Amino acid sequence: MKALTIAAGLLAGAVIVLILYNALLQRQLISINRQLEKRLRERTRQPVSLELINRELNRLAANINQCLKAEELLRLDGIREEKRFKELIANISHDLRTPLTAIRGYQQLMDTAELPDGQRRKLRTARKHADELGALIEHFFEYSYLVSAELEPVLVRMNLTNLVTECLAEAVALLEEKKLAVHIEESAPVFAYADQEMAVRIVRNLIRNCTAYSDGDVEVRIFTASQAVISFRNHVRDAEAIDVKRIFERFYTANTARSRTTGLGLFIVRLLAERQGGSASASLEDGFLEVRIGLPVYT
């Protein structure tokens, strides 16, 4: 009887020890989770630590810390690669501008000379391709400047309706060259709280996008919803080749084989809109592409 009592006591003690040990393990797992959540929330670089000496838990903590360290190294490598990429784009853009300026200068000199009709036609073709190359370089230069400078917007009250109208007036020659007519929906003036220079860049890039892809007249609307909205809508060539979900991605082009653009125009539009607290969206229906840019409403 005494032996049974001792055995029962030992068993009860073992159960209590196991319960306490299990509670300590549970406490350590909760601590690990809290430390990981804190790293995510506060973006700290603190390694995971343990209070309990347990072989498997220590192995788990060591493996977690190794994974976190490897992830941090990959993140830093990505930042360095992105920085090098931005510098490369900026350098390429600058280096290409110099010979292009020389090419255009010689073309202007040739244009003033007496040339046979055949050679003059070839000169016009060469100037056309030089202009296309110039537009590509400008996009790269604009992109590299915007992403590396990380400019802070200077938000002011602006008449968005007047700004869009003025930008369209500046682009009349280009629109006529592309045989595009612009129809602006008349409405009350819309006022936005935005950066003047960034807003101009946005509208100019929207116009360039229309001249590059439009297969018909352009419909422009400026209206107030939850934001001050600029809408450009036009029929597009090869609508089935356009992935509207990717249209604002960097370097995306609808048809790489035929496109003469970098795909940076709409990426820059979204970048500038979001820096001002705005948004960018696009839809494609019945061959008509509509790009909407929302900017904060002035109240």
Side-chain angles (χ1 to χ4, degrees), residues 44-61:
T44 64
R45 300 292 172 260
Q46 187 71 24
V48 173
S49 60
L50 293 176
E51 299 174 0
L52 181 66
I53 299 176
N54 178 278
R55 181 179 177 183
E56 292 303 318
L57 272 180
N58 285 333
R59 283 183 60 192
L60 174 62

Side-chain angles (χ1 to χ4, degrees), residues 27 228 246:
R27 178 181 172 184
R246 298 183 55 208

Side-chain angles (χ1 to χ4, degrees), residues 175-216:
L175 293 166
E176 289 180 346
E177 179 185 339
K178 300 292 183 179
K179 296 181 173 57
L180 296 175
V182 177
H183 305 284
I184 303 180
E185 182 181 286
E186 293 187 7
S187 62
V190 174
F191 292 90
Y193 190 59
D195 183 285
Q196 183 87 15
E197 182 181 349
M198 290 184 178
V200 169
R201 286 177 182 264
I202 286 173
V203 178
R204 286 175 177 170
N205 277 326
L206 290 175
I207 295 171
R208 287 179 198 156
N209 184 69
C210 289
T211 57
Y213 295 106
S214 181
D215 194 26

